[in-house]
Amino acid sequence: MKIESYIRDIQDFPKEGILFKDITPLLNDPVARKECLSVLVASLKGQAIDKVIGAESRGFFFGMLLAQELNAGFVPVRKPKKLPYSTISASYDLEYGTDTLEIHTDAIKKGDRVLIHDDVLATGGTAKALGELVEELGGEIVQFNFLMELSFLNGRDKIAGNPIFAAITY
Ligand code: AMP
């Protein structure tokens, strides 16, 4: 089965010039979703994971599935003022704009082995911010994990030196 066939291209969303990779057909198909999850898990080659970090909002879907499969905690990283407890934050550049991400200060313990997940690696700004949050809390990054990498945007340069996996590369 080709996971690619469950990713829908939407031209000029959310603004002109962006080719948006829509994962809703993948979410909507239980067989494709399971196959995709098994590809993501296989990339870890049995490495132990304490926490899976998912970026708001499309990183929550497979982030949560990964956490369940890996018997790990799940940590939502969210846009500002969404998380109720004490937080730290990191700012980042997006393919379309700039933003800030927050994480609960008690979400990761020093030495936790962390898997960082998001749907798309584009320019790498989001991933870099996620990595900074994990490291500030003392977590050890085991892998940056994505459904898709838009390799022509060279996002992996921003998180160089870390293991990076994407199920699909464009
Ligand atoms: P970046 O920080 O540029 O690597 O952008 C990654 C974040 O923006 C991810 O959370 C994605 O959900 C979203 N994103 C960026 N580009 C796209 C795209 N072409 N299609 C879908 N989502 C995207």
Side-chain angles (χ1 to χ4, degrees), residues 125-141:
T126 306
K128 183 164 179 275
L130 292 169
E132 286 168 6
L133 292 173
V134 169
E135 281 173 347
E136 196 174 331
L137 294 177
E140 183 194 326
I141 300 168

Side-chain angles (χ1 to χ4, degrees), residues 30-104:
V31 177
R33 203 176 59 210
K34 197 169 184 185
E35 166 70 16
C36 183
L37 180 62
S38 70
V39 168
L40 296 176
V41 169
S43 75
L44 290 165
K45 299 188 170 72
Q47 293 182 91
I49 300 293
D50 298 310
K51 303 280 166 63
V52 178
I53 305 296
E56 181 168 356
S57 58
R58 290 183 298 278
F60 291 170
F61 302 123
F62 277 89
M64 191 70 198
L65 291 175
L66 279 163
Q68 187 68 19
E69 188 74 18
L70 295 165
N71 199 29
F74 176 73
V75 178
V77 169
R78 300 206 60 185
K79 306 270 167 62
K81 297 190 165 65
K82 299 281 189 191
L83 290 169
Y85 185 63
S86 72
T87 58
I88 56 165
S89 65
S91 291
Y92 66 106
D93 294 323
L94 204 67
E95 193 184 353
Y96 37 86
T98 61
D99 217 335
T100 299
L101 288 174
E102 295 185 347
I103 190 170
H104 274 154

Side-chain angles (χ1 to χ4, degrees), residues 18-21 58 92-96 118-127 150:
I18 304 292
L19 182 63
F20 189 85
K21 296 291 184 185
R58 290 183 298 278
Y92 66 106
D93 294 323
L94 204 67
E95 193 184 353
Y96 37 86
D118 201 0
D119 64 336
V120 175
L121 173 63
T123 65
T126 306
L150 308 182

